[in-house]
Amino acid sequence: MSSVTELLHTKYPLVQAPMNWATDARFVAAVANAGLSEMVHGLAAHERQLQAQLDQVRTLTDQPIGINVVLEPDPAPHMNSMLEVAFANGDDPDDPGCRR
């Protein structure tokens, strides 16, 4: 069985959980650059905001990150589009560690 660091492709076996809108792109990149797994908060008001945060994170780090998407029994109207953005940003054919 692989260790957590091998699974997450991180230096340390720690995950910084998203803290709603407090976890902006700069915070996510700083945590990822420090060797921890970081999560982008995936419940932005609009899918364009999530994509913009992910684009900004990618300019600040090449380290792995995650996207936190809260699944609710009565999902918000934009949930499907948020999931589409999350999945579209989840696969990198050049990086076997980047997967859905």
Side-chain angles (χ1 to χ4, degrees):
M1 184 159 131
S2 296
S3 73
V4 172
T5 56
E6 290 172 348
L7 290 171
L8 297 176
H9 298 273
T10 60
K11 185 174 180 180
Y12 303 104
L14 302 169
V15 175
Q16 167 60 52
M19 299 178 294
N20 293 329
W21 288 268
T23 17
D24 67 358
R26 292 171 302 168
F27 183 81
V28 170
V31 172
N33 286 333
L36 286 75
S37 179
E38 173 55 309
M39 298 284 174
V40 173
H41 180 63
L43 284 181
H46 197 279
E47 66 270 10
R48 286 188 297 250
Q49 290 174 316
L50 175 59
Q51 187 62 61
Q53 284 291 307
L54 293 169
D55 291 343
Q56 186 178 4
V57 168
R58 287 294 161 224
T59 67
L60 299 170
T61 186
D62 62 353
Q63 298 302 307
I65 61 163
I67 303 169
N68 180 57
V69 179
V70 178
L71 301 177
E72 302 173 6
D74 187 21
H78 64 283
M79 182 58 66
N80 284 341
S81 58
M82 300 299 279
L83 288 171
E84 288 175 15
V85 170
F87 286 134
N89 285 274
D91 285 334
D92 180 351
D94 296 326
D95 180 0
C98 183
R99 61 194 173 279
R100 296 185 220 185

